[in-house]
Amino acid sequence: SQQGEEDPQALSIQEGENATMNCSYKTSINNLQWYRQNSGRGLVHLILIRSNEREKHSGRLRVTLDTSKKSSSLLITASRAADTASYFCATDRTQGGSEKLVFGKGTKLTVNP
Amino acid sequence: EAGVAQSPRYKIIEKRQSVAFWCNPISGHATLYWYQQILGQGPKLLIQFQNNGVVDDSQLPKDRFSAERLKGVDSTLKIQPAKLEDSAVYLCASSRAGRGGLETQYFGPGTRLLVL
């Protein structure tokens, strides 16, 4: 079963604008990761935020985590056409004694030049 | 550092046929994952290996799917017999030590399977 739900499902913006994607989840998590997937390719890890962190930055990416609301957001600033991809949040939880990532359905981002 | 390799990239089969996918993880990575990604959805974990032992196969449809990781390196995923609903992209990923939440997983390009 999928743990995370990304919102919106699809987002279309102009180059230079900021893009915000949200992720909500249902159960307690250890950590949360964001991945990017270009069309027809595998996933690429973007950023990991631990459950005791509230905000993290990496280049043009900013991730927030609110464990009380069970939600996270990914902000891409000054977007570029090359940012066009699907973005997935993945929640890490311990289940049956093993730690695993559970992915959401993703947000499809289109950045128009 | 070479990435995760997968083959074939594409496969078209008829239902009830068998198919096998191959994955070579990043050298030195102890943990290997197989995911199924249906169109429009996120990846779903099928099986996780730590070296050559199975850590989690709770979502693997064991009546038709099987996987092995001989010698703790390469892995194969087999479907026998295939059903229409198995049409998906099969992604292989690896990580250094298997702390799934605290480690980056590195994904291969995937094998796109179409079952007719």
Side-chain angles (χ1 to χ4, degrees):
Chain A
S1 61
Q2 308 218 251
Q3 164 77 312
E5 288 285 342
E6 285 90 339
D7 158 51
Q9 291 188 358
L11 179 62
S12 181
I13 60 174
Q14 295 299 121
E15 208 165 23
E17 294 180 339
N18 295 342
T20 300
M21 290 159 271
N22 303 298
C23 169
S24 60
Y25 54 91
K26 296 175 183 174
T27 63
S28 297
I29 62 169
N30 301 323
N31 304 290
L32 186 144
Q33 300 185 29
W34 284 90
Y35 283 78
R36 183 187 74 217
Q37 185 176 36
N38 290 83
S39 181
R41 303 281 193 89
L43 281 77
V44 174
H45 179 262
L46 294 176
I47 197 164
L48 180 154
I49 186 164
R50 297 170 186 262
S51 57
N52 61 355
E53 295 176 313
R54 293 295 165 257
E55 188 170 314
K56 202 161 182 180
H57 297 253
S58 176
R60 293 184 296 114
L61 305 180
R62 173 177 166 251
V63 169
T64 62
L65 178 64
D66 187 335
T67 52
S68 66
K69 294 181 179 178
K70 292 186 168 57
S71 67
S72 173
S73 67
L74 171 68
L75 169 67
I76 303 174
T77 60
S79 64
R80 305 166 182 168
D83 294 329
T84 294
S86 290
Y87 292 81
F88 296 90
C89 71
T91 50
D92 160 51
R93 53 181 183 152
T94 302
Q95 189 177 35
S98 68
E99 229 177 319
K100 66 180 182 183
L101 288 182
V102 181
F103 287 83
K105 293 183 178 180
T107 292
K108 188 169 184 178
L109 173 66
T110 302
V111 181
N112 302 300
Chain B
E1 174 178 77
V4 176
Q6 290 188 247
S7 69
R9 292 295 311 275
Y10 305 92
K11 190 75 178 177
I12 301 174
I13 62 173
E14 294 188 349
K15 60 183 179 183
R16 292 189 288 275
Q17 284 187 325
S18 303
V19 64
F21 313 127
W22 173 82
C23 172
N24 182 240
I26 293 173
S27 178
H29 279 195
T31 307
L32 185 148
Y33 314 79
W34 283 102
Y35 289 89
Q36 179 192 59
Q37 186 177 21
I38 292 173
L39 187 66
Q41 297 185 20
K44 182 183 83 171
L45 180 68
L46 292 176
I47 189 167
Q48 175 182 342
F49 292 94
Q50 180 83 11
N51 297 309
N52 60 350
V54 175
V55 174
D56 185 345
D57 64 356
S58 57
Q59 297 193 94
L60 186 74
K62 298 179 186 64
D63 58 334
R64 299 184 300 105
F65 286 64
S66 65
E68 60 182 10
R69 190 183 184 196
L70 300 176
K71 301 180 182 177
V73 182
D74 292 9
S75 177
T76 56
L77 176 69
K78 296 180 182 177
I79 308 175
Q80 179 180 13
K83 292 185 176 181
L84 297 177
E85 58 261 37
D86 298 332
S87 294
V89 176
Y90 291 85
L91 295 163
C92 179
S94 69
S95 66
R96 282 199 175 83
R99 292 296 310 282
L102 287 172
E103 288 197 346
T104 297
Q105 292 188 21
Y106 296 85
F107 283 80
T111 295
R112 190 174 297 270
L113 173 68
L114 179 60
V115 182
L116 302 175

